[in-house]
Amino acid sequence: MKRILVTGGAGFLGSHLCDLLLSEGNEVLCVDNLFTGRRKNIHHLLQNKNFEFMRHDVTMPLFVEVDEIYNLACPASPIHYQFDPVQTTKTSVIGAINMLGLAKRLKIKILQASTSEVYGDPEVHPQPESYKGSVSITGIRACYDEGKRCAETLFFDYHRQHKLNIKVMRIFNTYGPRMNPYDGRVVSNFIVQALQGNDITIFGDGKQTRSFCYVDDLISGMHKLMNSRDGFTGPVNIGNPVEFTMLELAENVIELTNSKSKLKFMPLPQDDPMQRRPVIDLAKKELDWEPKIPLRVGLEKTIAYFDEALKDME
Ligand code: NAD
Ligand code: UDP
């Protein structure tokens, strides 16, 4: 049995990771400042004697004793990471320094939840890990994109300088149960709008693309990366390589919810990437991982979750 630290453990992805680690018989220390995370996501774990929740901001030093660290703390939705952009950069950069310092003192393995946003608005399509990206340095997404890029740099410097055992994962758009219904990401927005019979808000002409990975597939990739062979650091793309336009996503959501919602076109936010699709050859080779859950199956599960979640909020 290991004692494992999950930062951002009360968030969407973090709470699913806590479930998996506990199901394997580990102890989990979940550290979260509850900025975008919710107690509701971990409510079912609070009675588990192997689970401990600590309200803490990763920009502050943390002194705990653990055997492994998954560093997920950081708001992921553009609305939330742009709400306090300075805090977003601090969370990525100072949070990484604090968690890397902890891993260095304890001589333990640490995994970083990085992002496809390190590729910015990509000029290479689809994106392999070798692509260096096209990020706007001064734009409104930079607090997140550059923060995550700097965090990757720190991970590799700690690896070279201090021989730290690191694993860096570039996560592409992921969706599923426990997303915050009002967190502003496209899958949750469209489903909530469709279930409530409101207009579906398409930003721009809706022809921009994303590749959506269901949460169970993503968490299995994350776990495989943490347990991959010694010396394999990544960065490795984890995401679903099947690409959809936002119009196609809206059509699927409307059909699966039997909704009468209409499309409403709105301005495209600044620096919104036009296309995004991972090359996952490295994950296949090193981790024997590829996603299994097609979009429509994942959407059905997510719609069922939001249907219940919205009734609870009434
Ligand atoms: P989320 O917003 O649901 O979870 C992030 C968690 O981090 C929340 O619980 C939040 O309260 C916590 N947090 C934020 N700032 C903190 C701080 N300073 N100290 C302590 N806790 C803090 O988002 P998510 O989708 O679960 O994302 C988890 C991680 O995965 C993030 O690092 C994100 O950048 C990365 N990621 C997610 C996606 C995706 O599509 N879901 C894509 C790429 C990368
Ligand atoms: N988007 C949209 N309507 C919404 C929310 C988002 O059309 O209500 C678009 C957004 O402009 C982007 C895509 O959906 O092109 C994915 O947005 P999201 O915020 O989910 O993630 P990210 O842009 O970080 O990939």
Side-chain angles (χ1 to χ4, degrees):
M1 183 200 268
K2 282 184 274 195
R3 181 168 158 78
I4 302 176
L5 169 60
V6 178
T7 76
F12 161 48
L13 297 181
S15 63
H16 287 275
L17 177 65
C18 291
D19 285 345
L20 175 68
L21 298 174
L22 287 164
S23 75
E24 287 190 312
N26 299 296
E27 283 182 14
V28 170
L29 172 60
C30 165
V31 164
D32 201 299
N33 70 351
L34 298 180
F35 173 46
T36 50
R38 294 176 299 163
R39 283 185 194 279
K40 201 173 169 227
N41 289 343
I42 50 166
H43 186 256
H44 61 293
L45 301 177
L46 295 175
Q47 300 307 319
N48 187 326
K49 65 177 177 15
N50 290 330
F51 180 79
E52 188 183 342
F53 173 68
M54 182 193 286
R55 189 165 186 166
H56 173 85
D57 189 313
V58 293
T59 61
M60 303 294 164
L62 178 67
F63 295 94
V64 293
E65 305 302 315
V66 289
D67 303 309
E68 236 169 42
I69 304 173
Y70 287 85
N71 187 36
L72 273 65
C74 186
S77 150
I79 292 181
H80 286 119
Y81 70 64
Q82 288 163 18
F83 172 75
D84 185 350
V86 174
Q87 173 67 10
T88 299
T89 304
K90 281 187 185 170
T91 293
S92 282
V93 177
I94 302 175
I97 291 173
N98 286 332
M99 292 310 115
L100 286 161
L102 180 62
K104 183 184 156 208
R105 174 173 70 80
L106 298 171
K107 299 188 176 56
I108 57 171
K109 204 164 28 171
I110 178 166
L111 179 146
Q112 167 68 356
S114 188
T115 169
S116 55
E117 291 287 329
V118 299
Y119 301 124
D121 190 1
E123 290 146 341
V124 168
H125 192 71
Q127 294 82 51
E129 290 85 354
S130 56
Y131 176 50
K132 293 192 178 64
S134 166
V135 173
S136 160
I137 303 163
T138 53
I140 56 173
R141 295 174 81 103
C143 57
Y144 182 75
D145 302 6
E146 295 290 10
K148 289 283 189 179
R149 285 168 69 100
C150 183
E152 283 201 23
T153 306
L154 284 161
F155 268 69
F156 278 87
D157 282 335
Y158 269 76
H159 174 64
R160 281 183 289 259
Q161 200 173 332
H162 302 297
K163 310 284 174 273
L164 202 64
N165 192 352
I166 61 158
K167 307 281 178 187
V168 176
M169 166 176 188
R170 292 186 179 153
I171 303 173
F172 283 65
N173 297 61
T174 303
Y175 69 99
R178 298 196 200 140
M179 291 183 94
N180 185 330
Y182 300 107
D183 117 335
R185 282 181 271 188
V186 68
V187 176
S188 43
N189 270 10
F190 284 6
I191 293 178
V192 170
Q193 289 162 346
L195 288 173
Q196 295 181 331
N198 296 328
D199 290 344
I200 307 274
T201 53
I202 307 273
F203 298 166
D205 61 8
K207 291 191 181 134
Q208 70 271 36
T209 67
R210 295 292 186 273
S211 309
F212 298 103
C213 186
Y214 187 67
V215 61
D216 291 358
D217 280 334
L218 192 284
I219 296 298
S220 118
M222 186 180 282
H223 187 251
K224 283 191 165 198
L225 174 60
M226 181 59 112
N227 296 294
S228 59
R229 68 173 170 85
D230 273 355
F232 181 66
T233 56
V236 58
N237 290 339
I238 301 284
N240 193 319
V242 184
E243 188 179 0
F244 292 89
T245 65
M246 295 312 102
L247 284 173
E248 287 166 336
L249 176 69
E251 282 161 13
N252 275 288
V253 169
I254 289 174
E255 195 190 318
L256 291 170
T257 49
N258 268 325
S259 175
K260 296 197 168 44
S261 292
K262 301 271 172 284
L263 303 186
K264 179 180 173 190
F265 289 87
M266 297 177 67
L268 189 69
Q270 188 194 327
D271 293 336
D272 199 279
M274 282 314 294
Q275 52 186 1
R276 196 183 286 146
R277 170 155 62 99
V279 173
I280 59 164
D281 295 352
L282 185 63
K284 282 186 187 162
K285 178 170 161 275
E286 283 288 343
L287 311 178
D288 189 26
W289 176 88
E290 62 183 316
K292 296 193 170 64
I293 300 167
L295 182 71
R296 285 178 73 90
V297 175
L299 282 179
E300 278 175 0
K301 292 170 190 269
T302 312
I303 289 166
Y305 167 79
F306 278 119
D307 207 14
E308 283 305 308
L310 293 175
K311 278 183 205 143
D312 282 354
M313 290 169 112
E314 275 166 10

